[in-house]
Amino acid sequence: MTDNSQRPGTGAHSSAPAHLPTQYAPADAEGPLYERWVERGYFEADAKSAKEPYTIVIPPPNVTGSLHLGHAFEHTLIDALTRRKRMQGHETLWQPGMDHAGIATQNVVERELAKEGKSRHDLGREAFTERVWKWKAESGGQISGQMKRLGDGVAWSRERFTMDEGLSRAVQTIFKRLYDDELIYRAERIINWCPRCLTAISDIEVEYQDDEGELVSIRYGEGENSIVVATTRAETMLGDTAVAVHPEDDRYRHLVGTEIELPLTGRRIPVVADEHVDPEFGTGAVKVTPAHDPNDFEIGRRHDLPSLTVMDEHAVITAHGPFQGLDRLEARSAIVAALRAEGRITAEKRPYTHSVGHCSRCKTTIEPRLSMQWWVKVGPLAKAAGDAVRDGRVTIHPKEMESRYFGWVDNLHDWCISRQLWWGHRIPVWYGPNGETVCVGPDEQPPTGEGWRQDADVLDTWFSSGLWPFSTLGWPERTDSLAKFYPNSVLVTGYDILFFWVARMMMFGLYAMDGTPPFHTIALHGMVRDQFGKKMSKSFGNAVNPLDWMDKYGSDAVRFTLARGANPGVDVPIGEDWVQASRNFANKIWNATRFALMNGATVEGGLPAADGLSPADRWILSRLNAVVAEVDAYYDDYQFAKLSDTLFHFAWDEVFDWYVELTKTVFQAGGPAAEASRRVLGEVLDVTLRLLHPVIPFVTETLWTALTGRESVVIADWPGDSGFRDAAAEREIATVQQVVTEVRRFRADQGLQPGQKVPARLDLAGTDLAGHEPAIRQLLRLQPEGEGFTPTATLPVAGATVALDLSGTIDVAAEHKRLTKDLAAAEKEKAQATAKLGNGAFLAKAPDHVVDKIRTRLSTAEADIERITAQLAGLPQG
């Protein structure tokens, strides 16, 4: 029914099924299995292969990082995709590597130096950089070992680092090209400055949160010529160079063009008219500090105002006067006190909650600051990135995320790419003694001689990681790997870095690779949260180290739990109970496969013809092929939760709880039917294990090799849908399931233990169930009638009748009372549904889906009434 062949070179069949221990021990199995996969080169990719390529890059984790649940989640999804494509015969490359993480890594090493009582300046740039490389060699990259624990099938021989020689060449090459094309320039602008990290950071590296501060209203000028302005940053008034009002605001029309006194400074500043000012907000007047506010900077440019920097890089006041040398927060309090003493404060609101930007790495409040920096002119690059999605060259999945992408790239400001750090790609620009500026490419010699110096800044980390899809393949050289594996097939990443990383890769890929986007599909996933939907954080006390769960339950259990929660673009809740349930699923697969092996299940030879199979055999093969088709469709739509759930319920409910149980009586009876079922069970487990392998690779590898005797499921063929369907067999087994389920429910209602045997008479005449009586009896623990059999309960179900002798095991009066109560509830439900469906006004107004729901309720109630009435009739009369 399905192709269970193995590609050439994958090993021969063993002469006998392998022996499986009674219990699966993940801790003993996972490490050796992964080492074997790597040693055999299963995850490597051949650029000269004739196979169709399938490429995914790892979102490069920081060299300072360690595996967290977000990594484990994302890596599970990528690994599932690549393992499946490898089994489908693609030349599959999952590209690994790490990011040098400029600010984060420099901070780590600086903290180490601080313990020695030193700073980076004590070492100097060259020695400090050597110290970082040493740290990277000794302590960086522990995440690689953790990725192996998780089972990541990456091509380790191709591992890259964003500051290795090849990637450094790529960075220098694209900088030079952008510079020559006038898409990189140097200019003095307002940037986000971190006084702790002592560097500029981009807009997307600023995290905004509501902080409690103060809002003070300050009177500038005197008498009729005074204006009141409000601010949360009183310390910046020392750098004010104007007050701005709206041109149409009659309250201040007489002051436009005049000068007023700036308190505490002795300076006079102009009143200017600017349409940026909202006359309806506050007093309708704003203070203008061009060197310390981005909006004020633009007003200053429009009105040719001077820019006065009044704080240094540590956010310490530099303006002359009594506040010089104070930290910005100390200065804020001192300035408000001084203004209050002069009677300049007209209103104070404290506390005043407002949105404040913080450095995403160290959480320090950022300071807008005028600074000379390097910028990328993103206009044409961003337009190309938007066009690639609009014209269908790149698909964003789920589609509703497109609007967020367009909202970003269509309104992108020029990107500040320089950072005042020592660790990173140094900007390849030299300045001469006479004001010369020279940008140097990778094959060019920098200028030498007295007075020449290289720019001290390094590039934003996202600049080098933006080249990741092609720099890792050897660009700017036209390598075989670049020709084979670019563009990537899909990018799997979180929606939270759609702006950080995805947009940069799109811009750089299209620019560097002649209009070819870096990937065909962008598959966005959500964030991992705790079981209550709350963000995971150490400060919340709900952060989880996935390695702890792997130690306790196995990597497969963690992976399956994460995949089962992965709906596209939606956050993923996870709790330990769910991981434990996934561990139980792995154990269930283990036990079912042991049962199969002990009962002679085999993959040898072809499947018997359909007419030589039992209805149960045909049913499970029909369902198997339907599941293969469903899983393929879900994979192609990146519906990891649905494919995992489909496999879970098929394996547990249909294969293990029904088919395995239905075959037990067949195996006991022996003969040709048993031989056929052994082959079918082998086929079903073979295909099911292959379908499960991409998500839970370790336990499926152990079981599949034991079942088939072949080398590895990693390189087995992905199952195909043979098209075999048997609707009649599916209906027949559905009837068996209905009978068993109804009788089990009745037994449970009577308080009977699952294993308790009960004498019973089965009347199956006129149904398709005659051949299933042995299985039904075994599943329901029903004994033959025997002498003295006295029916005390008769259950009509699915056209059959099951008469049970519950003498001594059932309280007839209590059962009659229970059924009478259930019947009354069903009749009430029927009456309510009938009344609604008979109400013309309701039918005219209610949506179709609501009416359909009422009809379903009516149908269910009528079926319940018929069932309960028959059960009441079957009770012994008192």
Side-chain angles (χ1 to χ4, degrees), residues 140-153:
Q142 63 172 320
I143 200 168
S144 297
Q146 296 166 344
M147 288 166 58
K148 295 174 182 178
R149 281 286 312 278
L150 188 65
D152 287 1

Side-chain angles (χ1 to χ4, degrees), residues 579-732:
V579 183
Q580 185 173 353
S582 296
R583 188 272 314 274
N584 294 344
F585 178 51
N587 289 342
K588 185 81 170 180
I589 301 169
W590 184 270
N591 291 334
T593 307
R594 283 190 75 246
F595 166 84
L597 290 172
M598 288 189 294
N599 284 276
T602 181
V603 297
E604 298 291 348
L607 284 167
D611 59 6
L613 297 175
S614 71
D617 291 336
R618 297 195 305 276
W619 161 71
I620 198 63
L621 289 173
S622 179
R623 288 293 303 128
L624 177 69
N625 280 284
V627 166
V628 169
E630 286 177 43
V631 168
D632 274 332
Y634 287 141
Y635 261 116
D636 292 341
D637 199 33
Y638 304 99
Q639 297 279 359
F640 296 98
K642 290 182 178 178
L643 73 89
S644 299
D645 212 47
T646 296
L647 287 170
F648 174 87
H649 286 295
F650 174 70
W652 192 306
D653 301 345
E654 297 185 81
V655 178
F656 306 149
D657 280 358
W658 284 105
Y659 182 68
V660 166
E661 293 300 320
L662 288 169
T663 60
K664 285 182 177 178
T665 53
V666 179
F667 291 155
Q668 290 167 1
E675 287 303 310
S677 290
R678 288 187 181 100
R679 180 63 189 89
V680 170
L681 180 55
E683 176 79 2
V684 171
L685 285 175
D686 168 22
V687 173
T688 302
L689 290 170
R690 282 188 276 154
L691 290 173
L692 283 165
H693 172 72
V695 180
I696 49 174
F698 293 107
V699 68
T700 52
E701 170 80 336
T702 303
L703 294 175
W704 189 85
T705 53
L707 175 71
T708 66
R710 295 176 178 141
E711 182 180 324
S712 175
V713 70
V714 176
I715 50 174
D717 287 333
W718 182 251
D721 174 12
S722 70
F724 174 79
R725 301 290 191 277
D726 192 326
E730 291 194 35
R731 286 193 299 270
E732 186 170 329

Side-chain angles (χ1 to χ4, degrees), residues 438-520:
V438 177
C439 181
V440 177
D443 297 319
E444 301 170 353
Q445 289 297 319
T448 57
E450 187 175 350
W452 283 94
R453 60 182 177 83
Q454 186 178 357
D455 194 297
D457 290 350
V458 300
L459 289 164
D460 179 9
T461 296
W462 296 105
F463 190 95
S464 51
S465 60
L467 314 181
W468 193 248
F470 51 93
S471 64
T472 52
L473 298 173
W475 187 91
E477 309 305 325
R478 294 289 171 173
T479 63
D480 291 339
S481 289
L482 189 65
K484 179 74 174 179
F485 296 114
Y486 186 93
N488 291 186
S489 306
V490 62
L491 173 73
V492 179
T493 192
Y495 63 68
D496 59 322
I497 57 172
L498 182 62
F499 315 133
F500 282 90
W501 190 43
V502 179
R504 274 112 170 93
M505 286 190 290
M506 285 286 284
M507 291 191 295
F508 283 162
L510 289 159
Y511 174 79
M513 298 300 294
D514 304 318
T516 302
F519 18 73
H520 298 302

Side-chain angles (χ1 to χ4, degrees), residues 540-588:
F540 295 156
N542 63 349
V544 173
N545 182 347
L547 296 173
D548 293 339
W549 281 353
M550 288 184 212
D551 290 341
K552 194 171 182 180
Y553 302 110
S555 297
D556 285 330
V558 174
R559 290 171 60 116
F560 193 73
T561 305
L562 291 165
R564 204 172 175 194
N567 291 296
V570 179
D571 288 346
V572 182
I574 185 172
E576 187 168 0
D577 288 350
W578 305 341
V579 183
Q580 185 173 353
S582 296
R583 188 272 314 274
N584 294 344
F585 178 51
N587 289 342
K588 185 81 170 180

